[in-house]
Amino acid sequence: MTVAVVPTVRIQAADFDVAAEISLLTRGRPDIGAVVTFTGLCRDEAGSLAALELEHYPGMAEAEIMRIAGEAIERWPLAGITAIHRFGKVRPGENIVLVVAASKHRQAAFEAANFLMDYLKSRAPFWKKEHRVDGSEGGWVDAKESDSAAAQRWAKS
């Protein structure tokens, strides 16, 4: 019997509990042999950053992340996949993003988590604005060419 995999995608202001999310994905699933997680945290940028403000288009962001999570399910034999991205002001040391990929075997889980994270860093509809410790706004953060290059390796031929 094949169980249909339905991705979990949430965009929320509140923090998340990594262990609780892993438990939700794996509870009652003895077929899962590997779980790979990635948690992205807000950096302090050498002490200059007070907060990172994340904005998104509600509805559109969830749909796009759901689409790419669905693509991961098509590419790898996954037992489950979760993506959680925060919005609002996030302070240094706080969680920003969580990706959890579960499979029978580790390679599929590693690749799917990497694929989804590369997408989130390069193409997900989020905008980041820096707020400095000195009270000034650091402006909007530009996308990094290295993130786009990393995502390019997943392009279908």
Side-chain angles (χ1 to χ4, degrees), residues 49-107:
L49 190 69
L52 194 58
E53 187 173 355
L54 297 127
E55 294 187 8
H56 71 293
Y57 281 125
M60 183 178 120
E62 291 91 341
E64 278 297 298
I65 297 169
M66 187 65 83
R67 182 186 66 75
I68 203 70
E71 188 174 326
I73 290 166
E74 290 173 10
R75 287 181 177 222
W76 294 281
L78 298 178
I81 191 162
T82 298
I84 301 171
H85 204 298
R86 293 184 60 199
F87 68 90
K89 281 192 178 177
V90 179
R91 307 227 180 288
E94 293 181 349
N95 295 319
I96 296 175
V97 63
L98 174 67
V99 169
V100 184
S103 184
K104 281 185 178 183
H105 304 287
R106 65 185 159 89
Q107 194 62 40

